[in-house]
Amino acid sequence: MPAFKRPRKKTVIIAGTVLAALFLGWLLTAYQLFYNVHTQPPQRVDAVVMLGGASKERMLDAMMLRSDLDAQFLVLSNTHTAGNASADEYCDTHSNKNIYPDIVCFDPSPMNTRGEATDLGRLAAEYGWRDIAVVTSTYHIERAGLLMQQCVDADVTMVATTPQFTAWQWFRRFVIETGGLIDVHLNKQCAPPPTP
């Protein structure tokens, strides 16, 4: 037996202290990135975009922002999911392009934020949008903003809405968004535009 062997209890205390410090550091970082988010709406945009999901929370804000900025287009992600029911219904009732040329609904492929960013890049090029406001939940701003930077060749301003979550729901979102943010950094969504 070695002469110097750290007692097991002391090792457990040190390991526990290190883990607690790492957890607290992550929690504080997650709080800043996903909860304590403050965004400012732009002065003018060609289109206001609402990302899919949580449409009860996001849609009214997107419509009010469009009105405030007098933006030409309202763009809605049409996901056909329970969380996006009000936006999907709006898309269904405003699908006639002859009557509603200023309402653009799209079905992202794949059905996630990566698909939304890719499709918004295509729509921005198709419509010639130079400035876009993207409305989504506070917890989603960081990850969605990075994907927009990767995929949309226009000036994109992220605008946050605030969900009414319990502490547990926020914690769950912190975990999900941390994983998503790591994934966005490791796996870029869109290839950079070719240099002339």
Side-chain angles (χ1 to χ4, degrees):
M1 179 179 281
F4 297 100
K5 186 174 180 182
R6 186 170 288 165
R8 179 174 289 179
K9 186 176 179 182
K10 190 172 181 180
T11 303
V12 169
I13 290 171
I14 291 171
T17 302
V18 169
L19 288 174
L22 289 172
F23 175 77
L24 185 59
W26 165 77
L27 192 60
L28 290 172
T29 302
Y31 175 85
Q32 291 299 325
L33 288 174
F34 310 129
Y35 181 85
N36 192 31
V37 176
H38 304 285
T39 59
Q40 293 293 324
Q43 297 304 307
R44 72 160 298 280
V45 293
D46 302 307
V48 172
V49 178
M50 188 206 82
L51 297 185
S55 63
K56 281 186 180 178
E57 168 204 326
R58 302 172 186 172
M59 188 156 173
L60 181 59
D61 283 25
M63 295 176 89
M64 289 173 58
L65 181 63
R66 180 196 182 197
S67 177
D68 290 346
L69 297 176
D70 195 28
Q72 184 177 358
F73 293 95
L74 176 65
V75 184
L76 302 174
S77 181
N78 198 12
T79 66
H80 311 284
T81 60
N84 208 52
S86 56
D88 293 342
E89 182 180 342
Y90 191 87
C91 284
D92 290 343
T93 58
H94 292 75
S95 61
N96 188 325
K97 287 295 174 196
N98 294 322
I99 302 172
Y100 305 107
D102 56 337
I103 306 298
V104 178
C105 294
F106 68 100
D107 295 349
S109 178
M111 190 69 67
N112 57 28
T113 311
R114 287 179 175 273
E116 289 176 319
T118 302
D119 287 349
L120 284 175
R122 177 185 53 76
L123 288 169
E126 180 182 332
Y127 284 88
W129 297 331
R130 297 170 60 92
D131 299 281
I132 302 170
V134 175
V135 178
T136 192
S137 304
T138 51
Y139 60 79
H140 198 216
I141 289 288
E142 187 72 22
R143 179 166 59 95
L146 284 172
L147 286 167
M148 297 304 152
Q149 287 175 13
Q150 292 173 12
C151 297
V152 181
D153 190 19
D155 288 331
V156 177
T157 302
M158 302 300 294
V159 179
T161 61
T162 306
Q164 300 302 310
F165 280 172
T166 64
W168 170 250
Q169 288 172 315
W170 274 114
F171 179 77
R172 183 173 177 274
R173 272 289 149 197
F174 286 3
V175 173
I176 291 168
E177 291 302 320
T178 297
L181 202 52
I182 291 168
D183 180 60
V184 168
H185 281 289
L186 294 177
N187 303 299
K188 306 271 189 227
Q189 175 62 17
C190 300
T195 53

